Amino acid sequence: QVQLVESGGGLVQAGGSLRLSCAASGRTFSTYAMGWFRQAPGKEREFVAVISRSGGSTYYADSVKGRFTISRDNAKNTVYLQMNSLKPDDTAVYYCAARRVLYTDSYYSAPLYDYWGQGTQVTVSS
């Protein structure tokens, strides 16, 4: 019922910045917690960040703390991932995901997310 479309990926030099966007369909966007995951070649999909329905709570993977910021604009049905100080290790396909309920002890678990976007490629050159 929820369709997610990511955008904003591209090629950037190490130390640069990108802002990813995820546009959601429907009129119930504010009822879902929204997360970002990424998958690099040869690696498992990993959690990046999540934001609660109201935007009042956020959680980040240790690998991106202090560099990435997740935010949302419920009026625009959009969630964002601001990525600063990018490293070559950040190179991956980034996926937007939605879940109806956010559990504070399981926010990192991909199977608990109900809807997924198609992904957007982020490539960071050295």
Side-chain angles (χ1 to χ4, degrees):
Q1 291 182 322
V2 177
Q3 297 180 359
L4 306 173
V5 180
E6 302 97 332
S7 63
L11 175 64
V12 64
Q13 295 184 28
S17 298
L18 284 173
R19 187 177 74 161
L20 305 183
S21 298
C22 175
S25 65
R27 303 181 181 90
T28 59
F29 177 74
S30 63
T31 67
Y32 294 89
M34 301 296 298
W36 287 96
F37 290 75
R38 67 186 183 185
Q39 187 166 21
K43 295 184 178 180
E44 298 293 321
R45 186 170 298 188
E46 67 173 339
F47 167 78
V48 176
V50 64
I51 187 167
S52 62
R53 289 169 290 177
S54 67
S57 299
T58 58
Y59 301 92
Y60 297 90
D62 289 341
S63 59
V64 306
K65 286 181 179 178
R67 299 189 298 119
F68 291 9
T69 302
I70 188 170
S71 62
R72 67 190 297 160
D73 186 340
N74 287 348
K76 296 182 178 180
N77 284 9
T78 302
V79 64
Y80 305 94
L81 185 68
Q82 178 66 46
M83 305 184 295
N84 298 327
S85 301
L86 283 163
K87 306 174 182 179
D89 286 348
D90 295 319
T91 295
V93 176
Y94 283 71
Y95 297 91
C96 177
R99 62 187 295 179
R100 182 66 179 84
V101 179
L102 176 63
Y103 299 96
T104 58
D105 61 346
S106 61
Y107 56 85
Y108 54 85
S109 181
L112 296 181
Y113 287 76
D114 302 300
Y115 305 99
W116 293 83
Q118 83 290 342
T120 185
Q121 177 71 47
V122 172
T123 302
V124 184
S125 62
S126 60

